[in-house]
Amino acid sequence: MTEWTTIRESRRIYEDEAVLALDKPVGISVMGERHDTDLVSMARDSGEELFPAHRIDKVTSGVILFAKELRFHGDLTRQFNRRTVAKTYLALTRTRGLPELATIDLPLSVGRKNRVRIAANRADIVARPGSAGTYAPDGPAGTLDSASPAASPASWTVPAARTFPNVRTYPSVTRVARVWEGAEHTLLAAYPISGRRHQIRVHLAWIGHPIEGDPLFDRAPVTRTFLHSWRLSFDAAWDNGRRTQVEATPGADFWSSLGADEAAAAAALATALAPAPAPTAISTSVPTPASASTP
């Protein structure tokens, strides 16, 4: 049995005639790895050709969606580009004090050594408190529960006049909801509205809440990166447009930074979180970095 066969059989969470969804383990790239293996190459070497509809980082675990034939690939990638795919990530930070609901609306740029960063100085980021409510990330603007119409999420933004001039910038929005808060950690559900490279990781770090174990901001992490692609919803054009949700339950390693009681409490609250509704399609002329859809 090849390594690909083992991964395919043990990590498959959904499959039909058009797509294959896997729960990607930490430490394996989706495709394009220069000096190491990746899922697309592993599959090809075993005689199976797959076409990734999006990407997640090597250090991120969880749902990754492949088209099994090229004829299905175009529609899936268009859904990601139009932002009609609902994506929910779980992120664990070794911080406290995050608001119940928040919008991180900070443009990204690419700096030296191809490093993704916010396209402004940290001192120019404006933080605004919000009021309580139930978050429903159903589109680029997001909504709150109609029972509390006056509620609004906290936000981090940067004035347009303070963004770096003469560099290419990429508007980027992440919605976050605090799922659980412990003695030292916070579990977040993150909903990337745009799909930029390293988006969730950079957004959280620049507001002072980096994901634990993230090598982008910890030079010598001793744990895995606690970011997990949890739920993904898309329209199956080959099945009369049926809305399809796939989910990868976080493994024990995702909770390993917590004690047993805290891990059980956090996992229970995450399980009870309602799935994100289908976003509203939008069009955009804003260019997307080559390695898009890789929070």
Side-chain angles (χ1 to χ4, degrees):
M1 182 177 291
T2 66
E3 183 179 8
W4 167 248
T5 302
T6 299
I7 290 175
R8 197 187 197 288
E9 292 185 359
S10 65
R11 295 279 180 163
R12 180 176 56 202
I13 54 178
Y14 179 81
E15 183 173 11
D16 61 18
E17 71 273 19
V19 299
L20 170 67
L22 298 179
D23 178 3
K24 186 188 81 64
V26 168
I28 299 180
S29 297
V30 175
M31 67 176 298
E33 189 69 13
R34 288 185 179 182
H35 306 295
D36 202 352
T37 187
D38 60 75
L39 292 176
V40 170
S41 296
M42 291 167 62
R44 185 184 302 115
D45 292 345
S46 296
E48 182 174 13
E49 188 169 18
L50 294 173
F51 307 91
H54 64 123
R55 299 190 199 182
I56 59 177
D57 288 341
K58 182 176 181 177
V59 300
T60 303
S61 57
V63 177
I64 182 70
L65 185 67
F66 297 95
K68 295 168 66 174
E69 297 180 28
L70 197 56
R71 62 192 175 105
F72 300 120
H73 183 251
D75 178 72
L76 288 171
T77 56
R78 280 190 292 273
Q79 290 185 52
F80 279 93
N81 290 337
R82 296 178 63 206
R83 304 175 189 174
T84 60
V85 176
K87 298 171 283 186
T88 306
Y89 287 74
L90 292 176
L92 190 66
T93 73
R94 191 179 285 272
T95 62
R96 288 169 48 86
L98 276 156
E100 181 181 357
L101 306 166
T103 298
I104 308 171
D105 185 357
L106 297 173
L108 300 179
S109 63
V110 180
R112 291 179 297 178
K113 298 183 179 179
N114 203 33
R115 290 179 64 89
V116 178
R117 58 159 295 161
I118 301 302
N121 291 315
R122 192 184 300 267
D124 291 323
I125 295 175
V126 177
R128 294 185 175 88
S131 55
T134 302
Y135 183 57
D138 63 347
T143 65
L144 290 151
D145 192 294
S146 57
S148 53
S152 62
S155 66
W156 283 268
T157 59
V158 64
R162 305 303 296 174
T163 59
F164 291 149
N166 305 319
V167 298
R168 200 172 197 182
T169 61
Y170 304 93
S172 304
V173 178
T174 304
R175 313 293 190 191
V176 295
R178 191 182 69 225
V179 178
W180 167 89
E181 186 176 71
E184 296 182 338
H185 294 83
T186 300
L187 178 68
L188 297 172
Y191 309 91
I193 306 304
S194 47
R196 314 298 187 188
R197 180 162 63 102
H198 303 332
Q199 175 178 314
I200 296 173
R201 299 164 66 185
V202 173
H203 271 175
L204 288 174
W206 278 66
I207 66 168
H209 296 273
I211 296 169
E212 185 169 10
D214 188 346
L216 289 180
F217 305 98
D218 184 347
R219 293 184 179 180
V222 296
T223 65
R224 60 158 286 177
T225 301
F226 291 96
L227 180 62
H228 181 75
S229 174
W230 181 31
R231 289 171 172 168
L232 192 72
S233 298
F234 58 94
D235 297 324
W238 55 93
D239 189 14
N240 297 316
R242 180 174 62 90
R243 190 69 175 176
T244 302
Q245 176 177 288
V246 293
E247 179 176 324
T249 302
D253 63 318
F254 184 79
W255 309 109
S256 60
S257 191
L258 304 177
D261 291 343
E262 286 195 327
L269 288 171
T271 300
L273 194 66
T280 302
I282 65 171
S283 61
T284 177
S285 60
V286 177
T288 298
S291 300
S293 302
T294 56

